[in-house]
Amino acid sequence: DIHVPTTLVAEQAAEAAAAWCSKTLMEHNHRAYLWAAARGTDMGLAFDEELLYVAAMLHDIGLVGAFDNATLSFDEAGGNVAWMFAAGAGWPVERRVRLAEVIVRHMWDSVDPAFDAEGHLLEVGTAIDISGRDAGLWAPELRAEILAAHPRLDLVDEFTACFADQARRKPDSSAAAAVRSGIERRIAANVLDRPDTGA
């Protein structure tokens, strides 16, 4: 019952992401939105579905070789790419800025939902998908349904490699901070990858 936006901009964001992202990364994008939107609904949190969806589709675009910035953290680079995408889609400047903010904030340790509802939801949606954080907040039946619709494929290997590469080349980046905090261990231990407990 999770609503997925079908606006032209939402569809174009998914099309743009699919043109550049690996299959594994694209499935992660879809799951990130579904986890986030489901959590927002459970919380009774008012959020902009289209903004959240576009952010979910583009939040990791800075990890893609074509858009990887030599010096900027991947989330900042991704926010810049998303700003340009939104400009082409005709969004006003204020909405472009919001999109970039949501993407940057998904790498924060925590985002107060009262401060940024969409930033909070993308942060928690990506956190469960990458590290399994707070997986119990989503019902087992919902977890099973989302994982069946959008399989994890080789997410563990791909993200571990991406973050290690980003950390090596950009030691002041958010990916480097995540590596220092043990993200590789958390990715490997994600409950969503355990067939007995992930669903």
Side-chain angles (χ1 to χ4, degrees):
D1 295 330
I2 303 168
H3 184 259
V4 176
T6 56
T7 64
L8 178 60
V9 178
E11 292 176 353
Q12 289 175 331
E15 180 183 0
W20 299 101
C21 293
S22 68
K23 177 67 172 174
T24 294
L25 191 58
M26 197 63 201
E27 295 289 10
H28 165 65
N29 294 341
H30 286 298
R31 289 192 308 274
Y33 173 76
L34 294 171
W35 301 129
R39 183 65 188 140
T41 300
D42 284 350
M43 294 173 66
L45 186 63
F47 63 95
D48 184 324
E49 289 182 344
E50 183 187 54
L51 177 64
L52 180 62
Y53 184 82
V54 173
M57 290 302 106
L58 300 174
H59 76 280
D60 280 340
I61 200 72
L63 291 174
V64 175
F67 304 107
D68 184 10
N69 187 288
T71 57
L72 287 180
S73 187
F74 81 93
D75 41 315
E76 295 179 48
N80 292 342
V81 172
W83 193 102
M84 294 296 290
F85 165 84
W91 279 10
V93 172
E94 295 79 6
R95 192 162 176 78
R96 297 175 219 165
V97 170
R98 280 290 300 125
L99 177 62
E101 287 174 344
V102 171
I103 289 173
V104 169
R105 291 170 185 165
H106 94 272
M107 284 299 292
W108 287 12
D109 290 336
S110 179
V111 181
D112 185 342
F115 169 67
D116 182 349
E118 294 79 19
H120 170 76
L121 294 175
L122 189 59
E123 178 254 318
V124 299
T126 55
I128 180 182
D129 206 59
I130 296 300
S131 66
R133 192 180 78 194
D134 296 325
L137 294 175
W138 290 264
E141 297 80 10
L142 178 62
R143 297 203 305 265
E145 187 175 353
I146 290 175
L147 294 172
H150 298 284
R152 294 175 65 75
L153 306 177
D154 60 347
L155 182 74
V156 171
D157 292 340
E158 185 168 329
F159 259 79
T160 299
C162 278
F163 271 56
D165 176 63
Q166 292 277 319
R168 178 183 56 79
R169 292 186 291 112
K170 295 179 268 190
D172 295 327
S173 67
S174 61
V179 168
R180 287 191 296 271
S181 74
I183 188 66
E184 294 176 352
R185 172 183 48 77
R186 295 193 298 277
I187 291 173
N190 191 336
V191 67
L192 299 180
D193 291 315
R194 300 179 201 164
D196 55 333
T197 58

